């Protein structure tokens, strides 16, 4: 944290401009050594200056240099950004000069990491920086911006304050038992407050799952017997011939993936190998992969052909997916019907004909309705949107539920306090009030260099 770091902040390649960012106590003096123009040590903060980058007396490039003095910067350190003409050779040369004059090459995400460690942003806001870079839809961008503004962090802080209020009641009771009866505190004070807090966290979890779908996409698999049209459906949804389609059973032996955008909802969709018994070793591996993906999927598109009777393998698949979110797709509606379900109940049935392009719009609408209902376009984005945060929130909720169980069993109040403190700490990990060095290193290593 005491050294000065530098990195290229724009994509390396041919373009109009490149930006090299420098941050640290020596940022201004180091850049000043290679800059021919105004003395950067004497200029005002948040100003831009025209000049040249030089190597001894040789001009390397004509540039604009932005100077930003601590603490009003992203890292809260002195920051200098060099705007130069885009190009691999020139950009690398300027970076080389900075490194030769005292800078260290920044690690992935190190600028954002310094912003976090210096108290400029918390962990939720830090993660939103990368989410904003990776956003593939308008909704994903809006979610990242909401988190970057601190709205989600304030939501977590409010939950922690609610727990602190409960803990304060407990501490007063423990330290001054003569002022309040323990049983009265438990029944009349803690239980209603804890019930409200648990309800609030359950609602946040439910809303956060929608944000996960909007930012990360819905993990979707297409399953069914061979030759029911799985690969054809994938190609139709992707609007490209990504999967090989033939009349030969077992053509798809491995998973084929693609991403589609349904009005702002991303579907990470996978075409799986047709599920059947086979002696072909390679095909059998593909079938096993298909079965394993069922447990990992957010949505299953189960395909059947309307002109073929239900088989034992179909019934086995139905049993495997009965507790999952799935849509039953009946393909080949243009052919005579020979498919009957008898006493088998199937949900969310849509009839299509891929060859005649029928029912595809109905399928898309069913997917949107199943996951987001009326919320598309009106979603409140002030919720969590990544697996790390949601996992910690679930652990906090689990601790609160343990506290409630303790209250119902009349467990001593100081034991209930332990679970409440655990919940408070889990929430602290979400925003980075409590963290380990290993977590921070792992999290920021996923960022790009220069951010």
């Amino acid at each position: 944290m005491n050294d000065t770091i530098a990195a290229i902040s724009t994509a390396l390649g041919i373009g109009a401009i490149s930006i090299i960012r420098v941050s640290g106590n020596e940022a201004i003096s180091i850049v000043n050594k290679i800059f021919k123009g105004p003395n950067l040590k004497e200029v005002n903060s948040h100003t831009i200056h025209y000049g040249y980058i030089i190597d001894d007396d040789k001009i390397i490039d004509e540039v604009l240099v932005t100077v930003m003095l601590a603490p009003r910067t992203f890292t809260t350190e002195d920051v200098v950004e060099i705007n130069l003409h885009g190009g691999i050779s020139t950009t690398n040369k300027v970076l080389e000069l900075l490194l030769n004059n005292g800078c260290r090459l920044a690690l992935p995400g190190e600028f954002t990491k310094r912003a976090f460690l210096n108290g400029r942003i918390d962990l939720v806001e830090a993660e939103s920086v990368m989410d904003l870079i990776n956003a593939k839809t308008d909704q994903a961008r809006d979610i990242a911006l909401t988190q970057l503004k601190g709205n989600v962090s304030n939501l977590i802080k409010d939950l922690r304050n609610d727990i602190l209020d409960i803990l304060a009641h407990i501490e007063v009771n423990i330290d001054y038992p003569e002022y309040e009866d323990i049983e009265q505190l438990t029944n009349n004070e803690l239980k209603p407050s804890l019930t409200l807090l648990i309800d609030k966290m359950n609602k946040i979890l439910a809303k956060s799952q929608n944000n996960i779908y909007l930012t990360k996409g819905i993990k979707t698999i297409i399953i069914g017997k061979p030759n029911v049209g799985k690969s054809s459906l994938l190609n139709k949804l992707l609007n490209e011939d990504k999967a090989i389609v033939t009349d030969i059973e077992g053509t798809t032996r491995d998973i084929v993936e693609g991403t589609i955008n349904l009005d702002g909802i991303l579907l990470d969709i996978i075409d799986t190998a047709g599920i059947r018994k086979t002696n072909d070793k390679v095909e059998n591996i593909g079938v096993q992969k298909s079965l394993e993906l069922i447990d990992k999927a957010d949505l299953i598109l189960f395909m059947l052909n309307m002109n073929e009777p239900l088989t034992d393998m179909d019934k086995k698949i139905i049993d495997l997916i009965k507790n999952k979110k799935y849509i039953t797709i009946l393909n080949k509606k243009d052919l005579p019907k020979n498919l009957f379900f008898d006493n088998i109940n199937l949900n969310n049935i849509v009839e299509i004909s891929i060859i005649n392009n029928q029912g595809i719009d109905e399928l898309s609408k069913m997917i949107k309705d199943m996951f987001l209902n009326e919320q598309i376009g009106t979603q409140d984005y002030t919720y969590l949107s990544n697996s790390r945060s949601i996992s910690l929130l679930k652990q906090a909720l689990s601790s609160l539920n343990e506290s409630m169980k303790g209250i119902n069993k009349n467990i001593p109040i100081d034991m209930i306090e332990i679970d409440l403190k655990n919940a408070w700490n889990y929430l602290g990990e979400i925003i980075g009030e409590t963290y380990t060095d290993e977590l921070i290193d792992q999290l920021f290593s996923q960022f790009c260099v220069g951010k």
Side-chain angles (χ1 to χ4, degrees), residues 138-152:
D138 291 343
Q139 288 94 332
R141 183 196 65 235
D142 291 342
I143 290 169
L145 286 172
T146 298
Q147 294 184 345
L148 193 57
K149 292 176 183 177
N151 297 353
V152 178

Side-chain angles (χ1 to χ4, degrees), residues 265-303:
I265 305 173
L266 291 177
L267 253 63
D268 294 321
I269 192 165
I270 298 173
D271 172 27
T272 63
I275 298 177
R276 66 168 182 169
K277 291 183 179 179
T278 175
N279 294 322
D280 187 297
K281 186 175 181 179
V282 175
E283 185 184 352
N284 191 55
I285 293 173
V287 171
Q288 292 304 312
K289 283 185 178 181
S290 301
L291 295 173
E292 291 170 3
L293 284 170
I294 290 176
D295 291 331
K296 300 176 182 178
D298 298 316
L299 173 64
I300 295 169
L301 303 181
F302 172 43
M303 292 194 69

Side-chain angles (χ1 to χ4, degrees), residues 169-203:
H169 282 292
I170 294 175
E171 290 295 337
V172 168
N173 189 78
I174 293 174
D175 293 341
Y176 305 100
E178 66 273 16
Y179 290 114
E180 189 161 13
D181 179 73
I182 292 179
E183 184 177 354
Q184 182 182 5
L185 172 72
T186 301
N187 293 334
N188 297 340
E189 296 275 352
L190 294 191
K191 195 169 183 178
S193 299
L194 197 54
T195 299
L196 287 173
L197 186 55
I198 289 172
D199 289 344
K200 185 188 294 186
M201 290 177 68
N202 275 317
K203 290 177 182 177

Side-chain angles (χ1 to χ4, degrees), residues 289-346:
K289 283 185 178 181
S290 301
L291 295 173
E292 291 170 3
L293 284 170
I294 290 176
D295 291 331
K296 300 176 182 178
D298 298 316
L299 173 64
I300 295 169
L301 303 181
F302 172 43
M303 292 194 69
L304 295 164
N305 278 341
M306 290 191 69
N307 66 323
E308 298 175 352
L310 205 64
T311 66
D312 289 339
M313 183 59 70
D314 293 326
K315 294 176 182 177
K316 179 181 178 181
I317 296 172
I318 291 170
D319 187 61
L320 288 172
I321 67 174
K322 62 184 178 182
N323 295 320
K324 300 286 291 184
K325 279 189 176 182
Y326 70 90
I327 294 175
T328 305
I329 302 173
L330 308 184
N331 190 23
K332 301 183 181 178
K333 64 179 292 186
D334 52 302
L335 298 179
K337 183 176 181 180
N338 195 26
L339 178 65
F340 303 96
F341 300 116
D342 298 325
N343 296 323
I344 297 175
N345 292 321
L346 286 171

Side-chain angles (χ1 to χ4, degrees), residues 20 60-62 84-95:
I20 297 179
I60 303 301
D61 196 16
E62 182 182 31
L84 54 150
H85 292 96
I88 297 173
S89 175
T90 302
T91 304
N92 282 334
K93 180 61 179 180
V94 175
L95 179 61

